[in-house]
Amino acid sequence: MTAEIISVGTEILMGNIVNTNAAFIAERLSALGISCYYQTVVGDNADRLKDQLKRSLKRSDIVILSGGLGPTEDDLTKETAASVCGYKLVEDVKARQDIAEYFKTRGKEPAENNWKQAMVPEGCTVLYNPNGTAPGIIMQKGDQHVVLLPGPPDELVPMFKKQVEKYLSSLSEDVIVSRTIKLCGVGESSAEEAILDLIDNQTNPTIATYAKIREVHIRVTARAKNIKEAKTILQPTVREIKKRFKDNIFATEEEVTLEASVIDLLKKKNFSLSIAESCTGGLLSARLINVPGASEVYKSGFVVYSNKAKRKLLGLKKKAIDKYGAVSAQTAEEMTKGLAMETKSDVCVSITGIAGPGGGSAEKPVGLVYIACNVKGKITVRQYMFKGTRAKIRESSAAEALILIRECVANR
Amino acid sequence: MTAEIISVGTEILMGNIVNTNAAFIAERLSALGISCYYQTVVGDNADRLKDQLKRSLKRSDIVILSGGLGPTEDDLTKETAASVCGYKLVEDVKARQDIAEYFKTRGKEPAENNWKQAMVPEGCTVLYNPNGTAPGIIMQKGDQHVVLLPGPPDELVPMFKKQVEKYLSSLSEDVIVSRTIKLCGVGESSAEEAILDLIDNQTNPTIATYAKIREVHIRVTARAKNIKEAKTILQPTVREIKKRFKDNIFATEEEVTLEASVIDLLKKKNFSLSIAESCTGGLLSARLINVPGASEVYKSGFVVYSNKAKRKLLGLKKKAIDKYGAVSAQTAEEMTKGLAMETKSDVCVSITGIAGPGGGSAEKPVGLVYIACNVKGKITVRQYMFKGTRAKIRESSAAEALILIRECVANR
């Protein structure tokens, strides 16, 4: 079974809003085992929408449209789709009641054009909308299915989860099950080379790699008649990939981030963590604290961007900073030592580097970063050379710090 | 002149990532005065990509593709587009040098498949990529233009701004000049209402509003025969908009971020800044330090996520935290006072709140945040109620802290 998504709205075409609806629908379709080969965005234009819908119906079993169900003249998705599918619009009694009710509970009067939203293709499935005034619609055209959804995500998302998924799962015979294996400390090319034989032989399950900042994600996807069978198909490939990457694997679940895996590891070891950041300026702490429950391990963070702050908050000596430079292995090491003295945390991490665009030299170019990780007195200092914008160098530094923590803590 | 966007990547089709590239390109095309009627997403599949590119070339003057320029076997945008446009791939000497250099500065060896990225369509325009290993490409096919860009946003965005826009503007006889006016402390609907008369009457210049996190950007765009004339057309509208929003305007240039405007303001006042963050956990510091030259004003930052850290680093009393709660106006105020005592900075900002998903109560729900700004002893504390995910609540908090600093400092 194949589906495709058509997002309707000039505001997406103009770049005023990011198309999060398409990403949401795509993810849910994939989880339902429905293949999606196209996403398209068209503006609020009847001719182009009609063309696109006809084209989509030539190549997909299910076409899901979002947007253009509002009350204004611009909103013409329903009218256009009904005409392409050969349906006449009629008023739906319950939809009309819903609209009246919606305005009543908000102490407002509906405008005349709101009643247009109660018109639906005759004989279709109406998806009533408790979060707005536009009902969703499912029309059949022969063996094909056309689904119309309201554009606002807080209407579309619950309607999809509660009503559309039930409808779609009843259509599909196969299920799809995916497993994501997340790696760090290895680049995308090397990761792919290491499993090239598996990739080359893939049919079911399929294998795909995704490059993230200092991470590589490998997704293995199986298709089968039921979940149990799909899992059985997945297993040997997943096991083989795990065997090949061992310590580079930080997560085997889609939801688990690198920072969450670090927090989890620290929790298991019962280690507390403190951080001193110069060039990253709080980025590493911010990532860690985005993990719910981070407070169980995260003790204190210092943003010591200036040398003065490094001296005052971490007790570094002016002479030493002057001798080695603020960006040096020695300073990174002294920072973790000072941090350990100050916080008594089990794990103390420091980052110092040149994020640019200014401040670089031939000897110490922009992108040079030192990260030190101090686990109960055992200090590892590592040098990195990142490229890119100031923001990218800082993000890469924070990511590598997480990777270094993982490595140093796992070995204890 | 019309353009369309084809985003290539199974990870977008599967909903693994949101297509922010399309929104970015669409926004920039619109600023260049180039109409865009379609955005399409196709997977890493040569046949479907070929079909789509051919279809796009039937209806648009410019086709911009992003993604699929990586080193792996999945990446086939370049090969496919070159074949559709009738180009042979040849090695580009500089691209090869760039790749060698990229790995050398990182102390790594390129994998064999990385050299594939140095192959370009013969005679095309190569867009060299200082932020990654995949160069971008512009091919001509008769009067039409096919632009290939790398998928990672931190490579695509600078390449588009620095290289593609120059190329695209050279295609048009008219010049387009835009001015962006950036607002904070006002919502998108209110901003739009305040200039509805101007929007309704727009032809040249045109006016568009964009909602960002706690910011609204208004872009005014004029089309004319030359830059001088375009600027003359812009001027009255820009002046009128500035008059209407006055203090809500934090920047009148596209490149100036909210954090940069805050750093700039502090520099002008010769004020130093220190920050204590609880729920944002370093996010505010990280944004400020992303501004080159932030070190001139930024003194110290403390991440005091735990109550223990609040007491130890900022000298808060256990009794007071217990009495009012860690998330309270009183605690926010005490945090800025402690911070001022500790750092002697002119401006001391503190944030404490409940980012969720846990930790909320009926009285203090998830999303409740207090921000205090202490300018030389004069303290302003403000309460906020944000909605959304943990990440969104934290981002909104950091943004509102910047807005509060701006307001409190401007009045001094």
Side-chain angles (χ1 to χ4, degrees), chain B residues 6-9 42-44 46 49 53 65-70 74-83 116 139 146-149:
Chain B
I6 303 176
S7 308
V8 185
V42 292
D44 302 302
L49 176 56
L53 180 55
L65 297 99
S66 70
L69 299 186
D74 277 357
D75 296 301
L76 33 76
T77 301
K78 191 169 57 189
E79 292 73 7
T80 309
S83 128
K116 169 186 153 185
M139 282 178 280
V146 176
V147 182
L148 313 185
L149 300 171

mmCIF file of all heavy atoms in Angstrom, chain B residues 6-9 42-44 46 49 53 65-70 74-83 116 139 146-149:
data_model
loop_
_atom_site.group_PDB
_atom_site.id
_atom_site.type_symbol
_atom_site.label_atom_id
_atom_site.label_comp_id
_atom_site.label_asym_id
_atom_site.label_seq_id
_atom_site.Cartn_x
_atom_site.Cartn_y
_atom_site.Cartn_z
ATOM 1 N N ILE B 6 13.001 20.706 -4.841
ATOM 2 C CA ILE B 6 12.891 19.258 -4.651
ATOM 3 C C ILE B 6 13.833 18.860 -3.521
ATOM 4 O O ILE B 6 15.041 19.065 -3.611
ATOM 5 C CB ILE B 6 13.280 18.482 -5.932
ATOM 6 C CG1 ILE B 6 12.422 18.919 -7.121
ATOM 7 C CG2 ILE B 6 13.145 16.971 -5.708
ATOM 8 C CD1 ILE B 6 12.820 18.268 -8.444
ATOM 9 N N SER B 7 13.275 18.349 -2.458
ATOM 10 C CA SER B 7 14.106 17.878 -1.348
ATOM 11 C C SER B 7 14.256 16.378 -1.496
ATOM 12 O O SER B 7 13.264 15.669 -1.645
ATOM 13 C CB SER B 7 13.440 18.199 -0.011
ATOM 14 O OG SER B 7 13.105 19.569 0.041
ATOM 15 N N VAL B 8 15.487 15.917 -1.475
ATOM 16 C CA VAL B 8 15.746 14.498 -1.683
ATOM 17 C C VAL B 8 16.159 13.849 -0.364
ATOM 18 O O VAL B 8 17.081 14.326 0.293
ATOM 19 C CB VAL B 8 16.870 14.292 -2.720
ATOM 20 C CG1 VAL B 8 17.056 12.798 -3.014
ATOM 21 C CG2 VAL B 8 16.584 15.069 -3.994
ATOM 22 N N GLY B 9 15.479 12.811 0.013
ATOM 23 C CA GLY B 9 15.924 12.124 1.229
ATOM 24 C C GLY B 9 14.833 11.255 1.821
ATOM 25 O O GLY B 9 13.747 11.742 2.163
ATOM 26 N N VAL B 42 11.174 13.730 -2.497
ATOM 27 C CA VAL B 42 11.271 12.360 -3.006
ATOM 28 C C VAL B 42 12.371 11.648 -2.232
ATOM 29 O O VAL B 42 13.259 12.279 -1.670
ATOM 30 C CB VAL B 42 11.587 12.296 -4.521
ATOM 31 C CG1 VAL B 42 10.423 12.815 -5.341
ATOM 32 C CG2 VAL B 42 12.846 13.074 -4.857
ATOM 33 N N GLY B 43 12.296 10.345 -2.214
ATOM 34 C CA GLY B 43 13.289 9.567 -1.474
ATOM 35 C C GLY B 43 14.572 9.382 -2.268
ATOM 36 O O GLY B 43 14.733 9.935 -3.361
ATOM 37 N N ASP B 44 15.492 8.610 -1.696
ATOM 38 C CA ASP B 44 16.762 8.335 -2.364
ATOM 39 C C ASP B 44 16.539 7.240 -3.396
ATOM 40 O O ASP B 44 16.989 6.110 -3.246
ATOM 41 C CB ASP B 44 17.804 7.904 -1.329
ATOM 42 C CG ASP B 44 17.988 8.973 -0.259
ATOM 43 O OD1 ASP B 44 18.330 10.106 -0.628
ATOM 44 O OD2 ASP B 44 17.770 8.685 0.934
ATOM 45 N N ALA B 46 16.517 6.723 -7.650
ATOM 46 C CA ALA B 46 16.907 7.379 -8.904
ATOM 47 C C ALA B 46 15.731 7.563 -9.857
ATOM 48 O O ALA B 46 15.575 8.633 -10.452
ATOM 49 C CB ALA B 46 18.030 6.592 -9.571
ATOM 50 N N LEU B 49 13.273 10.227 -8.610
ATOM 51 C CA LEU B 49 13.918 11.540 -8.665
ATOM 52 C C LEU B 49 13.998 12.038 -10.101
ATOM 53 O O LEU B 49 13.719 13.207 -10.398
ATOM 54 C CB LEU B 49 15.317 11.455 -8.035
ATOM 55 C CG LEU B 49 16.159 12.723 -8.108
ATOM 56 C CD1 LEU B 49 15.420 13.907 -7.484
ATOM 57 C CD2 LEU B 49 17.506 12.519 -7.402
ATOM 58 N N LEU B 53 12.298 15.416 -11.459
ATOM 59 C CA LEU B 53 13.113 16.499 -12.010
ATOM 60 C C LEU B 53 12.639 16.862 -13.418
ATOM 61 O O LEU B 53 12.523 18.037 -13.772
ATOM 62 C CB LEU B 53 14.595 16.092 -12.009
ATOM 63 C CG LEU B 53 15.576 17.129 -12.567
ATOM 64 C CD1 LEU B 53 15.434 18.474 -11.863
ATOM 65 C CD2 LEU B 53 17.021 16.610 -12.424
ATOM 66 N N LEU B 65 17.470 21.557 -5.897
ATOM 67 C CA LEU B 65 17.414 20.267 -5.202
ATOM 68 C C LEU B 65 18.318 20.322 -3.987
ATOM 69 O O LEU B 65 19.405 20.912 -4.039
ATOM 70 C CB LEU B 65 17.884 19.134 -6.113
ATOM 71 C CG LEU B 65 17.028 18.887 -7.367
ATOM 72 C CD1 LEU B 65 17.662 19.548 -8.574
ATOM 73 C CD2 LEU B 65 16.852 17.399 -7.608
ATOM 74 N N SER B 66 17.886 19.721 -2.904
ATOM 75 C CA SER B 66 18.784 19.629 -1.753
ATOM 76 C C SER B 66 18.829 18.198 -1.251
ATOM 77 O O SER B 66 17.841 17.472 -1.315
ATOM 78 C CB SER B 66 18.345 20.568 -0.633
ATOM 79 O OG SER B 66 17.163 20.108 -0.053
ATOM 80 N N GLY B 67 20.010 17.806 -0.790
ATOM 81 C CA GLY B 67 20.185 16.460 -0.238
ATOM 82 C C GLY B 67 20.668 15.467 -1.267
ATOM 83 O O GLY B 67 20.590 15.710 -2.479
ATOM 84 N N GLY B 68 21.195 14.363 -0.773
ATOM 85 C CA GLY B 68 21.643 13.303 -1.665
ATOM 86 C C GLY B 68 22.977 13.574 -2.339
ATOM 87 O O GLY B 68 23.276 13.010 -3.386
ATOM 88 N N LEU B 69 23.796 14.474 -1.750
ATOM 89 C CA LEU B 69 25.130 14.727 -2.307
ATOM 90 C C LEU B 69 26.219 14.078 -1.447
ATOM 91 O O LEU B 69 27.400 14.340 -1.621
ATOM 92 C CB LEU B 69 25.405 16.234 -2.405
ATOM 93 C CG LEU B 69 24.484 17.062 -3.288
ATOM 94 C CD1 LEU B 69 25.001 18.488 -3.380
ATOM 95 C CD2 LEU B 69 24.415 16.468 -4.687
ATOM 96 N N GLY B 70 25.822 13.277 -0.482
ATOM 97 C CA GLY B 70 26.791 12.658 0.422
ATOM 98 C C GLY B 70 27.627 11.593 -0.265
ATOM 99 O O GLY B 70 27.493 11.348 -1.467
ATOM 100 N N ASP B 74 23.519 5.568 -1.235
ATOM 101 C CA ASP B 74 22.179 6.163 -1.259
ATOM 102 C C ASP B 74 22.165 7.502 -1.973
ATOM 103 O O ASP B 74 21.118 7.944 -2.451
ATOM 104 C CB ASP B 74 21.730 6.486 0.175
ATOM 105 C CG ASP B 74 21.148 5.297 0.872
ATOM 106 O OD1 ASP B 74 21.043 4.244 0.232
ATOM 107 O OD2 ASP B 74 20.819 5.430 2.066
ATOM 108 N N ASP B 75 23.304 8.181 -1.950
ATOM 109 C CA ASP B 75 23.340 9.565 -2.425
ATOM 110 C C ASP B 75 23.485 9.577 -3.934
ATOM 111 O O ASP B 75 24.557 9.282 -4.459
ATOM 112 C CB ASP B 75 24.503 10.294 -1.757
ATOM 113 C CG ASP B 75 24.313 10.381 -0.242
ATOM 114 O OD1 ASP B 75 23.292 10.956 0.165
ATOM 115 O OD2 ASP B 75 25.157 9.871 0.504
ATOM 116 N N LEU B 76 22.406 9.938 -4.621
ATOM 117 C CA LEU B 76 22.453 9.835 -6.077
ATOM 118 C C LEU B 76 21.849 11.045 -6.772
ATOM 119 O O LEU B 76 21.549 11.001 -7.968
ATOM 120 C CB LEU B 76 21.754 8.533 -6.516
ATOM 121 C CG LEU B 76 20.582 8.067 -5.649
ATOM 122 C CD1 LEU B 76 19.368 8.889 -5.928
ATOM 123 C CD2 LEU B 76 20.334 6.608 -5.839
ATOM 124 N N THR B 77 21.696 12.140 -6.051
ATOM 125 C CA THR B 77 21.110 13.333 -6.658
ATOM 126 C C THR B 77 21.978 13.856 -7.802
ATOM 127 O O THR B 77 21.479 14.200 -8.878
ATOM 128 C CB THR B 77 20.943 14.432 -5.589
ATOM 129 O OG1 THR B 77 20.114 13.941 -4.545
ATOM 130 C CG2 THR B 77 20.293 15.671 -6.180
ATOM 131 N N LYS B 78 23.282 13.924 -7.560
ATOM 132 C CA LYS B 78 24.188 14.500 -8.559
ATOM 133 C C LYS B 78 24.189 13.664 -9.837
ATOM 134 O O LYS B 78 24.038 14.187 -10.939
ATOM 135 C CB LYS B 78 25.593 14.560 -7.962
ATOM 136 C CG LYS B 78 26.580 15.347 -8.755
ATOM 137 C CD LYS B 78 27.854 15.577 -7.936
ATOM 138 C CE LYS B 78 28.469 14.273 -7.480
ATOM 139 N NZ LYS B 78 29.562 14.476 -6.521
ATOM 140 N N GLU B 79 24.314 12.352 -9.675
ATOM 141 C CA GLU B 79 24.360 11.447 -10.811
ATOM 142 C C GLU B 79 23.059 11.539 -11.618
ATOM 143 O O GLU B 79 23.072 11.616 -12.846
ATOM 144 C CB GLU B 79 24.577 10.002 -10.329
ATOM 145 C CG GLU B 79 25.944 9.729 -9.707
ATOM 146 C CD GLU B 79 26.149 10.322 -8.319
ATOM 147 O OE1 GLU B 79 25.173 10.867 -7.742
ATOM 148 O OE2 GLU B 79 27.285 10.270 -7.796
ATOM 149 N N THR B 80 21.933 11.554 -10.877
ATOM 150 C CA THR B 80 20.634 11.582 -11.541
ATOM 151 C C THR B 80 20.404 12.903 -12.267
ATOM 152 O O THR B 80 19.996 12.926 -13.433
ATOM 153 C CB THR B 80 19.515 11.357 -10.498
ATOM 154 O OG1 THR B 80 19.835 10.187 -9.751
ATOM 155 C CG2 THR B 80 18.177 11.198 -11.149
ATOM 156 N N ALA B 81 20.690 14.011 -11.587
ATOM 157 C CA ALA B 81 20.443 15.321 -12.183
ATOM 158 C C ALA B 81 21.365 15.533 -13.382
ATOM 159 O O ALA B 81 20.943 16.073 -14.411
ATOM 160 C CB ALA B 81 20.658 16.423 -11.142
ATOM 161 N N ALA B 82 22.617 15.095 -13.277
ATOM 162 C CA ALA B 82 23.555 15.254 -14.394
ATOM 163 C C ALA B 82 23.055 14.467 -15.602
ATOM 164 O O ALA B 82 23.108 14.957 -16.733
ATOM 165 C CB ALA B 82 24.947 14.780 -13.987
ATOM 166 N N SER B 83 22.517 13.294 -15.353
ATOM 167 C CA SER B 83 22.032 12.491 -16.472
ATOM 168 C C SER B 83 20.795 13.137 -17.101
ATOM 169 O O SER B 83 20.681 13.215 -18.323
ATOM 170 C CB SER B 83 21.796 11.050 -16.007
ATOM 171 O OG SER B 83 20.509 10.606 -16.334
ATOM 172 N N LYS B 116 34.122 10.381 -4.380
ATOM 173 C CA LYS B 116 32.948 10.524 -5.254
ATOM 174 C C LYS B 116 32.392 11.953 -5.180
ATOM 175 O O LYS B 116 31.836 12.467 -6.140
ATOM 176 C CB LYS B 116 31.916 9.490 -4.792
ATOM 177 C CG LYS B 116 30.541 9.630 -5.374
ATOM 178 C CD LYS B 116 29.577 8.629 -4.722
ATOM 179 C CE LYS B 116 28.167 9.197 -4.786
ATOM 180 N NZ LYS B 116 27.165 8.396 -4.098
ATOM 181 N N MET B 139 23.851 23.727 -12.710
ATOM 182 C CA MET B 139 23.915 23.310 -14.110
ATOM 183 C C MET B 139 22.924 24.114 -14.920
ATOM 184 O O MET B 139 21.838 24.412 -14.441
ATOM 185 C CB MET B 139 23.486 21.838 -14.232
ATOM 186 C CG MET B 139 24.527 20.828 -13.843
ATOM 187 S SD MET B 139 23.855 19.149 -13.995
ATOM 188 C CE MET B 139 22.936 19.033 -12.474
ATOM 189 N N VAL B 146 19.501 24.353 -12.864
ATOM 190 C CA VAL B 146 19.306 23.311 -11.855
ATOM 191 C C VAL B 146 20.385 23.479 -10.789
ATOM 192 O O VAL B 146 21.579 23.462 -11.092
ATOM 193 C CB VAL B 146 19.375 21.901 -12.493
ATOM 194 C CG1 VAL B 146 19.262 20.822 -11.420
ATOM 195 C CG2 VAL B 146 18.280 21.739 -13.530
ATOM 196 N N VAL B 147 19.946 23.688 -9.565
ATOM 197 C CA VAL B 147 20.872 23.957 -8.468
ATOM 198 C C VAL B 147 20.856 22.765 -7.517
ATOM 199 O O VAL B 147 19.790 22.340 -7.073
ATOM 200 C CB VAL B 147 20.442 25.231 -7.699
ATOM 201 C CG1 VAL B 147 21.440 25.555 -6.584
ATOM 202 C CG2 VAL B 147 20.299 26.411 -8.654
ATOM 203 N N LEU B 148 22.021 22.213 -7.216
ATOM 204 C CA LEU B 148 22.108 21.101 -6.265
ATOM 205 C C LEU B 148 22.809 21.569 -5.003
ATOM 206 O O LEU B 148 23.892 22.144 -5.066
ATOM 207 C CB LEU B 148 22.910 19.935 -6.856
ATOM 208 C CG LEU B 148 22.595 19.472 -8.281
ATOM 209 C CD1 LEU B 148 23.424 18.225 -8.618
ATOM 210 C CD2 LEU B 148 21.120 19.156 -8.423
ATOM 211 N N LEU B 149 22.198 21.308 -3.871
ATOM 212 C CA LEU B 149 22.764 21.766 -2.597
ATOM 213 C C LEU B 149 22.878 20.603 -1.614
ATOM 214 O O LEU B 149 22.051 19.697 -1.633
ATOM 215 C CB LEU B 149 21.846 22.842 -1.990
ATOM 216 C CG LEU B 149 21.639 24.097 -2.839
ATOM 217 C CD1 LEU B 149 20.552 24.961 -2.231
ATOM 218 C CD2 LEU B 149 22.935 24.887 -2.960
#
